[in-house]
Amino acid sequence: MFELDGLHQAQNVVARHMLPTPQYRWPGLCGIAGCEVWLKHENHTPIGAFKVRGGLVLLDELQRGKGLPSRIITATRGNHGQSIPFAACRLGVPVTVLAPKGNSVEKNAAITGWGADLIEFGEDFEAARIESVRLAEAEGAMIVPPFHQALVRGVATYALEFFSAVAGLDAVYVPIGMGSGVCAVIRTRDLLGLKTEVVGVVAENAAAMARSIEAGKVVATETADTIADGIACRVPMEEPLDIVRRGAARVVEISEDDIAEAMRLLYRHTHNVAEGAGAAAFAALMRERARQAGRKVGVILTGGNVDADVFRTVLEGRGKGNGVGDAGE
């Protein structure tokens, strides 16, 4: 993947565009989880999610290497689709983003707000991803997949910040979508020579990564119907699957009720908004609080980009999953 010098180089790139995100020990979270909880606030980036780091490093790598492409095409459910135009459009590179029909209205608005052209296609992320590859080939554009070495190296900068700021973490909980975040944390931990357990988190309604690890090969699911759109992976990729299988302590599956309750708890105790995927790591810790009692645990709040209507429903405790509305990836 990458070495420590490459990670530090990525850190320098990211630092030109944003300050390190904070990590706080919130006493309310410690009390209900029964352990020392450190929350890494990736909801405090310029796009409200950790993905911004990957886009910055990818575009820097292209600019310093073979040159900028004439156009970039990618697929998303929201945060990745903000990251790429955030970095590319300021360099004059046009971006087309494909998102499935019924995607988050507010994430779609943010995507176009950063300068991308948005195409809604298909019923889920996988359909949009396949179409993005076809469209890139037809138009001679560069396709940016959901998992790419430069993207992983970029998002690894949050892991470097976290491990550098908080020593002695016994475990870190990381949500798993297509795998860039959890793979970045695993690689950074290994490069720093730490013993920290990395615990991956998936939704029960989008458990393709967990099923794939059990089977030892890629296993697709028919649907990925979860409020945690950032982790609604239906078809994992082989490379991140192999990294997670070798480097994660385990993968925890959480319910829609778990996710909604974690969103409420994070708001109540920190007054930070967490989208479904952003709350997933804390939801998994709550599932495993007996196992982690008295330990020092990191939780990645990966993003806060949830539609206002969805968040209101979650706070009121209404709807499917005790607060979950219609889902998307």
Side-chain angles (χ1 to χ4, degrees), residues 90-326:
R90 65 183 60 200
L91 296 175
V93 179
V95 177
T96 298
V97 174
L98 282 81
K101 298 172 184 176
N103 195 48
S104 161
V105 173
E106 293 174 25
K107 285 183 178 177
N108 283 357
I111 290 167
T112 57
W114 291 118
D117 297 323
L118 178 68
I119 298 174
E120 294 187 77
F121 183 91
E123 300 305 317
D124 61 16
F125 170 75
E126 185 63 13
R129 186 194 67 78
I130 292 171
E131 175 64 10
S132 72
V133 173
R134 187 202 67 77
L135 188 62
E137 291 175 349
E139 297 189 1
M142 176 183 176
I143 184 69
V144 175
F147 189 89
H148 182 285
Q149 290 300 326
L151 300 179
V152 178
R153 187 161 54 92
V155 301
T157 60
Y158 86 65
L160 181 61
E161 291 173 10
F162 199 19
F163 287 132
S164 299
V166 185
L169 287 168
D170 294 303
V172 175
Y173 286 79
V174 189
I176 303 176
M178 297 305 292
S180 63
V182 69
C183 292
V185 174
I186 289 169
R187 180 60 174 169
T188 305
R189 176 204 61 187
D190 293 347
L191 287 174
L192 296 177
L194 303 176
K195 301 299 183 182
T196 306
E197 287 184 336
V198 177
V199 182
V201 184
V202 300
E204 290 176 355
N205 286 4
M209 180 64 81
R211 299 290 83 78
S212 298
I213 289 172
E214 292 170 357
K217 61 180 181 180
V218 171
V219 175
T221 57
E222 291 297 321
T223 62
D225 185 25
T226 174
I227 190 177
D229 54 358
I231 60 172
C233 168
R234 192 168 63 78
V235 184
M237 299 175 69
E238 290 187 4
E239 185 176 3
L241 171 61
D242 184 57
I243 294 168
V244 174
R245 182 184 57 79
R246 290 185 289 107
R250 59 192 171 278
V251 174
V252 178
E253 298 179 40
I254 53 173
S255 70
E256 299 301 288
D257 285 346
D258 293 335
I259 296 167
E261 178 63 6
M263 293 170 73
R264 289 189 287 270
L265 289 171
L266 288 167
Y267 184 73
R268 184 176 301 129
H269 291 284
T270 77
H271 288 158
N272 277 255
V273 175
E275 60 186 281
F282 187 68
L285 171 58
M286 291 297 288
R287 273 274 179 116
E288 294 199 330
R289 58 188 180 276
R291 183 174 192 156
Q292 299 293 0
R295 303 181 85 203
K296 190 173 185 178
V297 181
V299 170
I300 311 301
L301 199 172
T302 52
N305 297 324
V306 58
D307 284 2
D309 289 345
V310 173
F311 192 55
R312 181 173 62 248
T313 302
V314 168
L315 292 181
E316 291 173 349
R318 297 186 290 106
K320 183 179 71 174
N322 192 27
V324 179
D326 291 339

